[in-house]
Amino acid sequence: MQKIMKLYKQYEESILYLFFGGATFVVSVVTYALFSATLHWEYRLAYVASLSLAVLFAYLTNRIWVFRSKVTDMAGVFREVWQFYLARIVTGVLSWLILAFGVRFLHQMICFGMAFKTFS
């Protein structure tokens, strides 16, 4: 048991980063499904809303449990949030382009329970 705890402590930041990365993925999928399939939002709006919530979740969990940020002043928190979101804007835009390509050109339906089925 001590070996496991030693390994955990050695790789704690990486383990927590992977865990919360997986949890962020779940938040993204569940919120997209909620917005798309349940509330019938258009896929682009559902994507942007789910991405925003997932990135906020990722920021908060990473700030608190992974990196244990000590920043408390508003300017420092704003800088932290801005850098975190900026790093994800590029991948978010790339993902949005892939989603739009799938829906528009491959005619894929993107909603919970119906992903990857083509329109009739």
Side-chain angles (χ1 to χ4, degrees), residues 63 70-79:
R63 181 182 201 287
K70 304 292 185 226
V71 175
T72 57
D73 64 291
M74 287 306 290
V77 170
F78 179 76
R79 188 173 39 260

Side-chain angles (χ1 to χ4, degrees), residues 30-63:
V30 168
T31 56
Y32 181 84
L34 173 71
F35 298 143
S36 178
T38 306
L39 300 176
H40 306 289
W41 289 7
E42 196 266 338
Y43 76 92
R44 289 174 285 212
L45 178 60
Y47 174 77
V48 170
S50 69
L51 177 68
S52 299
L53 290 173
V55 172
L56 178 62
F57 174 82
Y59 169 72
L60 293 173
T61 56
N62 282 291
R63 181 182 201 287

